[in-house]
Amino acid sequence: MTSSNPAAADASLLFTDLYQLTMAQAYLRHGLHELPAQFDAFFRRPPDYGAHQAGYAVAAGAAELLAWMADAALAPDDEDRLRGMRTAAGEPLFDDAFLAWLRDRRGLDDVELRAVPEGRVIHPVAPFAVVEAPLAVAQLLETSVLNHLNYPTLIATRAARLRHAAGGRPLIEFGMRRGHGRAVDAGARAALIGGVDASSNTGASLRLGVPPRGTHAHSFVQAIMATGGDELDAFRAYAEVYPDDCLLLLDTVDTLDSGLPNAIRVFEELRARGHEPRGVRLDSGDLAHLALHVARELDAAGFPDAVITLSNQLDELTIWQIRQQIQDEASSVGVDAQPVLDRLVFGVGTRLITSKGACALDGVYKLVAVHHDGEWRPSAKLSDTPEKATVPGPKALFRVYDARGMATADLVTLADERPRAGEPLTLRHPADERYRSLAVDEVSDVEPLLETHWSGGCARVEPQDVAALRARREADEARLDAGVRRLRNPHRYHVSLSERLWRLRQSTV
Amino acid sequence: MTSSNPAAADASLLFTDLYQLTMAQAYLRHGLHELPAQFDAFFRRPPDYGAHQAGYAVAAGAAELLAWMADAALAPDDEDRLRGMRTAAGEPLFDDAFLAWLRDRRGLDDVELRAVPEGRVIHPVAPFAVVEAPLAVAQLLETSVLNHLNYPTLIATRAARLRHAAGGRPLIEFGMRRGHGRAVDAGARAALIGGVDASSNTGASLRLGVPPRGTHAHSFVQAIMATGGDELDAFRAYAEVYPDDCLLLLDTVDTLDSGLPNAIRVFEELRARGHEPRGVRLDSGDLAHLALHVARELDAAGFPDAVITLSNQLDELTIWQIRQQIQDEASSVGVDAQPVLDRLVFGVGTRLITSKGACALDGVYKLVAVHHDGEWRPSAKLSDTPEKATVPGPKALFRVYDARGMATADLVTLADERPRAGEPLTLRHPADERYRSLAVDEVSDVEPLLETHWSGGCARVEPQDVAALRARREADEARLDAGVRRLRNPHRYHVSLSERLWRLRQSTV
């Protein structure tokens, strides 16, 4: 077994599907490789988790994509491996001219990437990223663009839903052990953008400047017990080392009969020494019911500020249900619901980091225009399935705000259009004859959404920390109608085409 | 935007959950860090995809784990970041003694990792990996062990099911664009171990020594059309560059009316120039129905050996259904089913690389023993949920083969037991009083499954290429009863405890 990862992730131009390389060589051989081309990246529908559905998505992953673009190169040993590939007839698959061309792609200085910035709300059909580059280069980038944007967008979207369900209470991401390999680092970042407050992923969190969070595990209690101690000894041992961050896991033996009384005893000892406990964690059983009982006992013991952290296969519906059950059941336990809700912390693992129920964003990357004979020639993929047909032409994207300042539609136009507030707008349904006409007083703002992220071989957006990206998301969500944000059967947000783009599309389908 | 990935994957000891670090420091502070400890990694049930279920899993990911172990270190800037962490009282969270201890963990020379080798069939409850190390080190490794093994095992398992469904026909993995970020490299490797024949992931495939595979995309046809050509021109352009590897995508315009006749024309031109075409690819529509029509026309045109590659949201049930539909419908189209089935190639994307329906393996890592006062003290996590309770004690694992040479049970024992063929065996049900007694003539072999993968700071298994790992899997699958292998409602394979281990467990629950 060698010490180097057998299929290691790195910044390689070979982080792509083989057909991108064979197509690029074919373009080169036919002299088409330098033709300017535009590809749109978009998704067809927001994630559908089965029992619940997203009404929007949250853009993420551009930072990872730009990092790859800055470093992507053809390493000499990878070039040798490509050179060793053979056709069915035993000839070299790739010729020297192509390998030299590929080697020269380092720096990607002829690529322009426009994208909706990270943290912003995005919608189906509308391009969230547009690549303009020589045909062979734009082709080569397809896999990497989609790989780097699809997963973080999926996770930021899921985190935004959890944020909504958690009603302002802290959310901690800790799915690292069940996430898909090294994707957990990008996943933790996307979760933070989407709305979790912290992650247990130590390396990723620290590099992002967001303090990681954690408590202790059953194994800590077990280890103390295996050496002759009991749960109380374990709690004391933990509290002694972390007197100001003491959060105790209650369910290693029995939550109400053992964990809770032992925790309260240790909390009292801590307070006697001048420290306030942080709280407790429940990781099994009926979390809503247990939270009520635990809250009551903590209150009675004089620890009304101790948080109650809940974990165990949580997702947005489960959190929603737990909060509802606490409201419904509080009086029968003899406590007020609101103070219990106000001391909850939610730990979300597998269902966030893998987006259980909708484990992929269906983002695609489609050729929409080729510059030929002095003009952009629109291109579309036809399809027997109308929803799979693409919208041709080089594009721009705008968000239209109504008189209340709320987002009322995303408007996809041709690249040379610039709709503005103060002009009447026609919003065409992308798939049929329906349209909306907006009078001047119905539109408060028309905001361009695509920003240049990469051109001339360099990233063109300022680095933003997670807090800034989260603020972007919150600002966008505040301008979404509640119906679009709801967790189940959300209202469908309008994504429209301009009159000119609609006519172009009609002429090609 | 910086050029380095904001939450980059690397071989860091901080690739872990924060609580592993806080627990490790607490063990250190209490002088418990050097206590020898054993943790078992196991999963509770094979993946359940909803409409279908796995009856077994295929081990993978040890190569990635060993690569991480060999390189894992505490980089100086990460150490500075840890040093900057603060408690709620504003004190440093980690002290110098702990940071020095963590820095010294580089090399992991006091860790022994035993595991079921990659490619082997594994079952629930039985430990697929055992870590024996000083308590604080074993604790620290939890996240990385699970992260590195859970996802590849999930994907190798899914690939093995697709291999079964595809009935011996070639399977190509091309989920890179929808997979979870950089996990796609480990995913491609796991898919190859599990049974796909090739992947489109160029970098990962080439580094694994398995030629990547691919064809061309709709964009290739669109690009030629946007510059004034048509689909026939596009096919000719592709065939000219790849005369011996010509596989044409038929559905950019219309599969039967345009793609197929154009492809046949280009195939005839190729043959006239002395080349044989590889075949066609169908990516939309009723794939079974289209495959029959395409096969008939290719036969009529004299290309009975041209393959028909199918893709578009395939999974094991869809492939099973396509093959069945071809058998049912062949006569009505006027062709024989078997030759059509024998020319199919399956391309599997999102549903393999994300394991749609069961996007995580529920692998866990539990403390089972601590060496204290001269002996191994068993440890178990109790639970109100009996299925969540763990089996205590240092363990060994064996596979019991019956008189036919078929695997009849996996037997988990205490570490000092060595069951052998030629002795009667008692197999205890892990959760209740049931047991099986096997007479001497009912057991042909008892095979130890755990092998030392890491000790003394080095990997202890020889590197194996993908072909060898695939052969291992095939050998194991050949010794599984058909009922365990079936795609829906598989028969439950027996995982049993030895009499001694069962008694130990009974004494702790």
Side-chain angles (χ1 to χ4, degrees):
Chain A
M1 192 71 62
T2 59
S3 74
S4 63
N5 198 320
D10 61 9
S12 170
L13 283 170
L14 298 195
F15 188 70
T16 193
D17 292 299
L18 182 69
Y19 76 178
Q20 316 290 10
L21 296 165
T22 52
M23 283 189 279
Q25 177 171 261
Y27 294 138
L28 184 70
R29 204 76 71 82
H30 290 291
L32 300 170
H33 59 297
E34 298 281 10
L35 277 181
Q38 290 196 33
F39 284 76
D40 287 353
F42 62 94
F43 57 94
R44 295 197 178 95
R45 60 198 75 81
D48 183 336
Y49 311 96
H52 48 114
Q53 303 79 28
Y56 63 98
V58 175
E64 284 86 355
L65 174 60
L66 292 173
W68 178 86
M69 291 176 74
D71 294 338
L74 183 64
D77 50 353
D78 276 342
E79 184 175 332
D80 289 343
R81 293 182 183 112
L82 280 186
R83 200 182 297 279
M85 289 192 73
R86 291 289 175 269
T87 69
E91 307 289 324
L93 178 62
F94 296 110
D95 62 24
D96 287 342
F98 174 72
L99 293 172
W101 176 86
L102 188 60
R103 206 185 309 128
D104 289 346
R105 298 286 62 76
R106 174 173 210 146
L108 297 170
D109 53 9
D110 44 13
V111 173
E112 173 152 331
L113 169 71
R114 296 185 291 275
V116 183
E118 290 191 297
R120 297 218 58 175
V121 162
I122 54 176
H123 297 284
V125 179
F128 59 79
V130 174
V131 169
E132 181 174 339
L135 179 58
V137 179
Q139 187 74 65
L140 195 64
L141 291 180
E142 174 177 24
T143 307
S144 184
V145 167
L146 291 177
N147 175 278
H148 283 103
L149 300 180
N150 273 339
Y151 172 67
T153 298
L154 182 76
I155 300 309
T157 301
R158 195 72 188 254
R161 296 170 60 73
L162 287 158
R163 171 77 282 150
H164 186 57
R169 294 301 307 159
L171 271 171
I172 318 294
E173 184 281 310
F174 44 59
M176 195 171 184
R177 65 193 59 191
R178 301 276 172 82
H180 289 189
R182 291 311 180 93
V184 294
D185 288 338
R189 181 173 180 274
L192 288 164
I193 294 171
V196 307
D197 298 281
S199 166
S200 66
N201 181 331
T202 308
S205 296
L206 287 176
R207 288 164 210 172
L208 293 167
V210 179
R213 288 275 296 274
T215 59
H216 65 84
H218 301 114
S219 54
F220 187 82
V221 180
Q222 286 178 247
I224 301 291
M225 291 172 71
T227 55
D230 59 16
E231 189 184 49
L232 181 61
D233 296 320
F235 287 179
R236 282 179 174 145
Y238 190 79
E240 189 182 326
V241 180
Y242 304 109
D244 299 301
D245 297 271
C246 186
L247 201 149
L248 299 171
L249 175 62
L250 301 191
D251 72 331
T252 306
V253 180
D254 183 286
T255 301
L256 295 180
D257 288 344
S258 174
L260 181 59
N262 284 332
I264 287 174
R265 190 153 161 199
V266 170
F267 290 172
E268 288 166 343
E269 294 167 0
L270 272 177
R271 184 173 280 172
R273 299 194 340 253
H275 302 282
E276 279 301 302
R278 218 165 92 204
V280 299
R281 177 174 156 218
L282 309 176
D283 189 42
S284 59
D286 180 339
L287 296 179
H289 183 78
L290 288 173
L292 287 166
H293 282 271
V294 165
R296 188 180 62 189
E297 300 306 313
L298 287 172
D299 285 349
F303 298 100
D305 297 327
V307 301
I308 300 174
T309 301
L310 306 181
S311 58
N312 192 17
Q313 300 296 326
L314 297 187
D315 64 14
E316 50 270 58
L317 288 200
T318 312
I319 289 174
W320 185 16
Q321 182 175 273
I322 285 171
R323 294 177 66 218
Q324 184 65 49
Q325 187 184 338
I326 285 173
Q327 285 181 322
D328 295 345
E329 203 180 332
S331 63
S332 73
V333 179
V335 298
D336 290 339
Q338 197 57 47
V340 180
L341 295 172
D342 289 345
R343 71 200 295 177
L344 297 181
V345 173
F346 298 100
V348 268
T350 309
R351 294 183 182 199
L352 169 56
I353 202 78
T354 65
S355 190
K356 184 177 160 74
C359 52
L361 186 78
D362 75 339
V364 295
Y365 179 93
K366 295 293 176 186
L367 180 65
V368 295
V370 174
H371 204 268
H372 183 58
D373 285 346
E375 60 174 0
W376 282 107
R377 305 285 186 98
S379 174
K381 178 187 176 298
L382 308 178
S383 177
D384 299 335
T385 319
E387 60 164 21
K388 278 193 130 185
T390 57
V391 181
K395 299 187 192 68
L397 175 61
F398 301 88
R399 185 153 294 161
V400 180
Y401 297 93
D402 67 15
R404 302 168 302 155
M406 300 294 278
T408 186
D410 279 11
L411 176 60
V412 190
T413 70
L414 284 167
D416 61 0
E417 297 187 78
R418 178 60 180 98
R420 288 171 205 281
E423 298 167 0
L425 288 177
T426 300
L427 308 182
R428 280 285 192 173
H429 191 286
D432 59 40
E433 305 277 331
R434 284 176 288 171
Y435 64 94
R436 280 166 80 194
S437 294
L438 294 180
V440 168
D441 63 359
E442 290 179 292
V443 176
S444 61
D445 194 16
V446 181
E447 179 193 23
L449 294 181
L450 292 170
E451 292 183 12
T452 300
H453 276 58
W454 179 276
S455 73
C458 296
R460 297 293 176 185
V461 288
E462 287 298 311
Q464 300 288 329
D465 63 21
V466 162
L469 299 176
R470 202 165 9 209
R472 258 187 208 160
R473 189 201 84 249
E474 287 167 356
D476 270 8
E477 287 178 328
R479 289 176 290 183
L480 275 184
D481 278 323
V484 176
R485 296 192 64 190
R486 68 175 175 244
L487 296 176
R488 272 178 56 92
N489 301 318
H491 181 69
R492 193 156 180 176
Y493 181 82
H494 283 199
V495 177
S496 307
L497 308 187
S498 70
E499 185 70 26
R500 279 179 60 206
L501 183 58
W502 184 81
R503 290 194 182 283
L504 173 64
R505 189 190 191 195
Q506 291 300 103
S507 71
T508 57
V509 289
Chain B
M1 194 68 63
T2 59
S3 73
S4 63
N5 198 320
D10 62 9
S12 169
L13 282 170
L14 297 195
F15 188 70
T16 192
D17 292 299
L18 181 69
Y19 76 178
Q20 316 291 9
L21 296 166
T22 52
M23 282 188 281
Q25 177 170 261
Y27 294 138
L28 183 69
R29 205 76 70 82
H30 290 290
L32 300 169
H33 60 295
E34 298 281 11
L35 277 181
Q38 291 197 33
F39 284 76
D40 287 354
F42 62 94
F43 56 96
R44 295 198 178 93
R45 58 198 76 80
D48 182 337
Y49 311 96
H52 47 114
Q53 303 79 29
Y56 63 98
V58 175
E64 284 87 355
L65 175 60
L66 293 174
W68 177 86
M69 291 175 74
D71 294 337
L74 182 64
D77 49 353
D78 276 341
E79 184 175 333
D80 290 344
R81 294 181 183 114
L82 280 186
R83 200 183 297 279
M85 289 192 72
R86 291 289 175 268
T87 69
E91 306 289 322
L93 178 62
F94 295 110
D95 61 24
D96 287 343
F98 175 71
L99 293 172
W101 176 86
L102 188 60
R103 205 185 308 128
D104 288 346
R105 298 285 64 74
R106 175 174 210 143
L108 296 172
D109 52 9
D110 43 14
V111 173
E112 171 151 332
L113 169 72
R114 298 185 290 275
V116 182
E118 290 192 296
R120 297 219 57 175
V121 163
I122 54 175
H123 297 284
V125 180
F128 59 80
V130 173
V131 169
E132 182 174 337
L135 179 59
V137 179
Q139 187 73 65
L140 195 65
L141 291 180
E142 173 178 23
T143 307
S144 184
V145 166
L146 291 176
N147 175 278
H148 283 103
L149 299 180
N150 272 338
Y151 173 66
T153 298
L154 182 76
I155 301 308
T157 301
R158 194 72 188 254
R161 296 170 58 76
L162 287 157
R163 172 76 284 151
H164 186 57
R169 296 300 307 159
L171 271 172
I172 318 294
E173 185 280 311
F174 46 58
M176 195 173 183
R177 65 191 60 190
R178 301 276 174 81
H180 290 190
R182 291 311 181 91
V184 295
D185 288 339
R189 180 173 180 273
L192 289 163
I193 293 171
V196 307
D197 298 281
S199 166
S200 66
N201 181 332
T202 308
S205 296
L206 288 175
R207 288 163 209 175
L208 293 167
V210 179
R213 288 277 295 275
T215 60
H216 65 83
H218 300 115
S219 55
F220 188 81
V221 179
Q222 286 179 245
I224 302 291
M225 291 173 71
T227 55
D230 59 17
E231 188 186 49
L232 182 60
D233 295 321
F235 286 179
R236 281 179 174 143
Y238 190 79
E240 190 182 325
V241 180
Y242 304 108
D244 299 302
D245 297 271
C246 188
L247 199 149
L248 298 171
L249 176 61
L250 300 190
D251 72 332
T252 306
V253 181
D254 184 287
T255 301
L256 294 180
D257 287 347
S258 174
L260 181 59
N262 284 332
I264 287 173
R265 189 152 162 201
V266 171
F267 289 172
E268 287 166 342
E269 293 167 2
L270 271 177
R271 184 173 281 172
R273 301 196 336 258
H275 302 282
E276 278 301 304
R278 217 165 91 202
V280 299
R281 176 174 156 218
L282 309 176
D283 189 42
S284 58
D286 180 340
L287 296 178
H289 183 78
L290 289 172
L292 286 165
H293 282 271
V294 165
R296 188 180 62 192
E297 300 306 314
L298 287 172
D299 285 350
F303 298 100
D305 297 327
V307 300
I308 301 174
T309 302
L310 307 181
S311 57
N312 192 17
Q313 299 297 327
L314 298 187
D315 64 15
E316 50 271 57
L317 288 200
T318 313
I319 290 174
W320 184 16
Q321 183 176 273
I322 285 170
R323 295 176 65 216
Q324 184 64 49
Q325 187 183 339
I326 286 172
Q327 284 180 321
D328 295 343
E329 202 180 334
S331 62
S332 72
V333 180
V335 298
D336 289 338
Q338 198 56 47
V340 180
L341 295 172
D342 289 345
R343 71 200 297 178
L344 297 181
V345 174
F346 299 100
V348 268
T350 309
R351 294 184 183 199
L352 170 56
I353 203 78
T354 65
S355 190
K356 185 178 158 75
C359 51
L361 186 77
D362 75 340
V364 294
Y365 179 93
K366 297 293 177 187
L367 178 65
V368 295
V370 175
H371 203 268
H372 183 60
D373 285 347
E375 61 173 358
W376 283 106
R377 305 283 186 98
S379 175
K381 177 186 175 299
L382 308 178
S383 177
D384 299 336
T385 320
E387 61 165 20
K388 279 193 132 185
T390 57
V391 181
K395 300 188 190 67
L397 175 62
F398 301 88
R399 185 153 294 161
V400 179
Y401 297 93
D402 66 13
R404 302 167 304 154
M406 300 295 278
T408 187
D410 279 12
L411 176 61
V412 190
T413 71
L414 284 166
D416 61 359
E417 295 186 78
R418 180 59 180 98
R420 290 170 202 283
E423 300 166 359
L425 287 177
T426 300
L427 308 181
R428 279 287 191 171
H429 191 284
D432 60 40
E433 303 278 331
R434 285 176 289 172
Y435 64 93
R436 281 167 78 195
S437 294
L438 295 180
V440 169
D441 64 357
E442 291 180 290
V443 177
S444 62
D445 194 15
V446 180
E447 179 193 23
L449 294 181
L450 292 169
E451 293 183 10
T452 300
H453 277 58
W454 179 276
S455 73
C458 296
R460 297 293 175 185
V461 288
E462 287 298 310
Q464 300 287 329
D465 63 21
V466 161
L469 298 178
R470 201 161 17 207
R472 256 186 212 163
R473 190 201 83 248
E474 287 166 356
D476 270 6
E477 287 178 332
R479 289 175 291 182
L480 274 184
D481 278 322
V484 176
R485 297 193 63 191
R486 69 176 175 243
L487 296 176
R488 272 177 56 92
N489 301 321
H491 181 70
R492 193 154 180 181
Y493 181 83
H494 283 199
V495 176
S496 308
L497 308 188
S498 69
E499 185 70 26
R500 279 178 59 205
L501 182 59
W502 183 81
R503 289 193 183 280
L504 173 64
R505 190 190 190 194
Q506 291 300 102
S507 70
T508 57
V509 291

